[in-house]
Short mmCIF file of all heavy atoms in Angstrom, two decimals:
data_model
loop_
_atom_site.label_atom_id
_atom_site.label_comp_id
_atom_site.label_asym_id
_atom_site.label_seq_id
_atom_site.Cartn_x
_atom_site.Cartn_y
_atom_site.Cartn_z
N ASN X 238 138.67 141.53 103.45
CA ASN X 238 138.37 140.57 104.50
C ASN X 238 139.01 141.00 105.81
O ASN X 238 140.20 141.31 105.87
CB ASN X 238 138.91 139.19 104.12
CG ASN X 238 138.74 138.19 105.26
OD1 ASN X 238 137.64 137.89 105.69
ND2 ASN X 238 139.87 137.68 105.76
N THR X 239 138.20 141.02 106.89
CA THR X 239 138.69 141.30 108.24
C THR X 239 138.16 140.22 109.17
O THR X 239 136.95 139.96 109.22
CB THR X 239 138.22 142.68 108.73
OG1 THR X 239 138.75 143.69 107.86
CG2 THR X 239 138.71 142.93 110.15
N GLN X 240 139.07 139.60 109.92
CA GLN X 240 138.69 138.56 110.88
C GLN X 240 139.46 138.77 112.17
O GLN X 240 140.67 138.99 112.16
CB GLN X 240 139.01 137.16 110.31
CG GLN X 240 138.17 136.77 109.11
CD GLN X 240 138.60 135.45 108.50
OE1 GLN X 240 139.78 135.20 108.28
NE2 GLN X 240 137.64 134.59 108.22
N VAL X 241 138.73 138.68 113.29
CA VAL X 241 139.34 138.88 114.61
C VAL X 241 138.88 137.74 115.52
O VAL X 241 137.68 137.52 115.71
CB VAL X 241 138.93 140.23 115.22
CG1 VAL X 241 139.55 140.40 116.60
CG2 VAL X 241 139.34 141.38 114.30
N CYS X 242 139.85 137.02 116.08
CA CYS X 242 139.57 135.95 117.04
C CYS X 242 140.20 136.33 118.37
O CYS X 242 141.41 136.62 118.42
CB CYS X 242 140.13 134.62 116.54
SG CYS X 242 139.93 133.25 117.71
N ASN X 243 139.40 136.32 119.44
CA ASN X 243 139.88 136.85 120.71
C ASN X 243 140.05 135.82 121.82
O ASN X 243 140.87 136.01 122.72
CB ASN X 243 138.92 137.95 121.21
CG ASN X 243 138.94 139.16 120.31
OD1 ASN X 243 139.81 140.01 120.42
ND2 ASN X 243 137.98 139.24 119.39
N ILE X 244 139.27 134.74 121.79
CA ILE X 244 139.35 133.76 122.86
C ILE X 244 139.50 132.37 122.25
O ILE X 244 139.14 132.13 121.10
CB ILE X 244 138.14 133.85 123.81
CG1 ILE X 244 138.03 135.27 124.37
CG2 ILE X 244 138.25 132.86 124.97
CD1 ILE X 244 136.89 135.49 125.33
N ASP X 245 139.95 131.42 123.03
CA ASP X 245 140.68 130.25 122.57
C ASP X 245 139.83 129.15 121.93
O ASP X 245 138.90 128.63 122.57
CB ASP X 245 141.44 129.65 123.75
CG ASP X 245 142.27 130.70 124.48
OD1 ASP X 245 142.57 131.73 123.86
OD2 ASP X 245 142.59 130.50 125.65
N PRO X 246 140.19 128.75 120.70
CA PRO X 246 139.60 127.56 120.11
C PRO X 246 140.37 126.30 120.52
O PRO X 246 141.60 126.29 120.54
CB PRO X 246 139.73 127.81 118.60
CG PRO X 246 140.89 128.72 118.47
CD PRO X 246 140.97 129.53 119.73
N SER X 247 139.64 125.24 120.86
CA SER X 247 140.28 123.98 121.24
C SER X 247 139.53 122.82 120.59
O SER X 247 138.31 122.78 120.58
CB SER X 247 140.31 123.81 122.76
OG SER X 247 139.01 123.72 123.28
N ALA X 248 140.32 121.88 120.04
CA ALA X 248 139.75 120.68 119.41
C ALA X 248 140.42 119.45 120.00
O ALA X 248 141.65 119.41 120.15
CB ALA X 248 139.95 120.73 117.91
N THR X 249 139.61 118.44 120.31
CA THR X 249 140.12 117.22 120.93
C THR X 249 139.53 115.99 120.25
O THR X 249 138.33 115.96 119.94
CB THR X 249 139.77 117.17 122.43
OG1 THR X 249 140.29 118.33 123.07
CG2 THR X 249 140.35 115.93 123.08
N THR X 250 140.39 115.00 120.02
CA THR X 250 139.94 113.69 119.55
C THR X 250 140.48 112.61 120.47
O THR X 250 141.71 112.52 120.67
CB THR X 250 140.41 113.41 118.11
OG1 THR X 250 139.91 114.40 117.23
CG2 THR X 250 139.92 112.03 117.65
N ASN X 251 139.58 111.83 121.04
CA ASN X 251 139.95 110.65 121.82
C ASN X 251 139.34 109.45 121.10
O ASN X 251 138.11 109.30 121.05
CB ASN X 251 139.40 110.74 123.24
CG ASN X 251 139.99 111.93 124.00
OD1 ASN X 251 141.19 112.10 124.08
ND2 ASN X 251 139.11 112.76 124.56
N ALA X 252 140.20 108.59 120.52
CA ALA X 252 139.69 107.51 119.68
C ALA X 252 140.40 106.19 119.95
O ALA X 252 141.63 106.14 120.03
CB ALA X 252 139.82 107.89 118.21
N ILE X 253 139.60 105.15 120.09
CA ILE X 253 140.10 103.76 120.12
C ILE X 253 139.47 103.07 118.92
O ILE X 253 138.24 102.93 118.83
CB ILE X 253 139.72 103.05 121.42
CG1 ILE X 253 140.33 103.77 122.63
CG2 ILE X 253 140.18 101.60 121.38
CD1 ILE X 253 139.88 103.20 123.97
N ILE X 254 140.31 102.64 117.97
CA ILE X 254 139.81 102.08 116.72
C ILE X 254 140.50 100.74 116.47
O ILE X 254 141.73 100.65 116.45
CB ILE X 254 140.06 103.04 115.54
CG1 ILE X 254 139.32 104.36 115.78
CG2 ILE X 254 139.62 102.42 114.22
CD1 ILE X 254 139.58 105.42 114.76
N GLN X 255 139.69 99.70 116.25
CA GLN X 255 140.22 98.35 116.12
C GLN X 255 139.54 97.61 114.97
O GLN X 255 138.36 97.82 114.68
CB GLN X 255 139.99 97.55 117.41
CG GLN X 255 140.51 98.21 118.68
CD GLN X 255 140.10 97.45 119.92
OE1 GLN X 255 140.64 96.38 120.21
NE2 GLN X 255 139.11 97.97 120.65
N ASN X 256 140.34 96.75 114.31
CA ASN X 256 139.81 95.80 113.32
C ASN X 256 139.06 96.51 112.19
O ASN X 256 137.83 96.39 112.04
CB ASN X 256 138.90 94.78 114.00
CG ASN X 256 139.58 94.07 115.15
OD1 ASN X 256 140.75 93.68 115.04
ND2 ASN X 256 138.87 93.91 116.28
N VAL X 257 139.82 97.25 111.39
CA VAL X 257 139.26 98.01 110.27
C VAL X 257 139.77 97.42 108.96
O VAL X 257 140.98 97.26 108.76
CB VAL X 257 139.65 99.50 110.37
CG1 VAL X 257 139.13 100.27 109.16
CG2 VAL X 257 139.13 100.09 111.67
N GLY X 258 138.85 97.11 108.05
CA GLY X 258 139.24 96.54 106.77
C GLY X 258 139.73 97.56 105.76
O GLY X 258 140.44 97.22 104.81
N GLY X 259 139.35 98.83 105.93
CA GLY X 259 139.75 99.88 105.00
C GLY X 259 140.78 100.81 105.60
O GLY X 259 141.66 100.40 106.36
N LYS X 260 140.67 102.10 105.26
CA LYS X 260 141.60 103.13 105.72
C LYS X 260 141.05 103.82 106.96
O LYS X 260 139.85 103.82 107.22
CB LYS X 260 141.83 104.16 104.61
CG LYS X 260 142.42 103.58 103.33
CD LYS X 260 142.60 104.65 102.29
CE LYS X 260 141.25 105.16 101.78
NZ LYS X 260 141.41 106.13 100.66
N VAL X 261 141.98 104.47 107.67
CA VAL X 261 141.60 105.30 108.82
C VAL X 261 142.20 106.69 108.63
O VAL X 261 143.40 106.83 108.38
CB VAL X 261 142.09 104.70 110.15
CG1 VAL X 261 141.83 105.68 111.30
CG2 VAL X 261 141.40 103.38 110.43
N SER X 262 141.34 107.72 108.73
CA SER X 262 141.77 109.11 108.61
C SER X 262 141.17 109.91 109.76
O SER X 262 139.94 109.98 109.88
CB SER X 262 141.34 109.70 107.27
OG SER X 262 141.69 111.06 107.18
N LEU X 263 142.03 110.51 110.59
CA LEU X 263 141.58 111.28 111.75
C LEU X 263 142.22 112.66 111.72
O LEU X 263 143.44 112.79 111.60
CB LEU X 263 141.96 110.56 113.04
CG LEU X 263 141.38 109.15 113.23
CD1 LEU X 263 141.95 108.50 114.48
CD2 LEU X 263 139.86 109.18 113.28
N THR X 264 141.38 113.69 111.83
CA THR X 264 141.84 115.07 111.79
C THR X 264 141.35 115.84 113.01
O THR X 264 140.16 115.79 113.33
CB THR X 264 141.34 115.79 110.52
OG1 THR X 264 141.82 115.09 109.36
CG2 THR X 264 141.83 117.22 110.48
N THR X 265 142.28 116.54 113.65
CA THR X 265 141.96 117.38 114.80
C THR X 265 142.54 118.76 114.52
O THR X 265 143.75 118.89 114.33
CB THR X 265 142.55 116.81 116.09
OG1 THR X 265 142.15 115.44 116.23
CG2 THR X 265 142.08 117.59 117.30
N ALA X 266 141.69 119.79 114.47
CA ALA X 266 142.15 121.12 114.07
C ALA X 266 141.53 122.20 114.93
O ALA X 266 140.31 122.25 115.11
CB ALA X 266 141.83 121.38 112.61
N ALA X 267 142.38 123.10 115.45
CA ALA X 267 141.95 124.29 116.17
C ALA X 267 142.48 125.50 115.41
O ALA X 267 143.70 125.66 115.26
CB ALA X 267 142.47 124.28 117.60
N ILE X 268 141.57 126.35 114.91
CA ILE X 268 141.95 127.44 114.00
C ILE X 268 141.33 128.75 114.48
O ILE X 268 140.13 128.79 114.79
CB ILE X 268 141.49 127.15 112.57
CG1 ILE X 268 142.09 125.81 112.08
CG2 ILE X 268 141.90 128.28 111.63
CD1 ILE X 268 141.57 125.35 110.74
N GLY X 269 142.14 129.81 114.50
CA GLY X 269 141.61 131.12 114.85
C GLY X 269 140.82 131.73 113.70
O GLY X 269 139.59 131.86 113.77
N ASN X 270 141.51 132.08 112.61
CA ASN X 270 140.88 132.70 111.45
C ASN X 270 141.31 131.98 110.18
O ASN X 270 142.51 131.76 109.97
CB ASN X 270 141.26 134.17 111.33
CG ASN X 270 140.88 134.99 112.55
OD1 ASN X 270 139.72 135.02 112.94
ND2 ASN X 270 141.86 135.64 113.17
N THR X 271 140.35 131.65 109.33
CA THR X 271 140.68 131.03 108.05
C THR X 271 139.80 131.62 106.95
O THR X 271 138.59 131.81 107.14
CB THR X 271 140.52 129.50 108.10
OG1 THR X 271 140.82 128.95 106.81
CG2 THR X 271 139.13 129.09 108.53
N PHE X 272 140.44 131.94 105.80
CA PHE X 272 139.69 132.50 104.68
C PHE X 272 140.31 131.98 103.39
O PHE X 272 141.54 131.90 103.26
CB PHE X 272 139.74 134.03 104.68
CG PHE X 272 138.72 134.66 103.76
CD1 PHE X 272 137.49 135.07 104.24
CD2 PHE X 272 138.99 134.81 102.40
CE1 PHE X 272 136.54 135.62 103.39
CE2 PHE X 272 138.05 135.36 101.54
CZ PHE X 272 136.82 135.77 102.03
#
Side-chain angles (χ1 to χ4, degrees):
N238 174 62
T239 299
Q240 294 175 313
V241 179
C242 176
N243 293 278
I244 304 181
D245 309 338
S247 64
T249 303
T250 301
N251 298 307
I253 299 174
I254 299 175
Q255 306 173 74
N256 306 317
V257 177
K260 300 179 291 185
V261 173
S262 177
L263 300 174
T264 300
T265 307
I268 303 173
N270 301 304
T271 179
F272 194 95

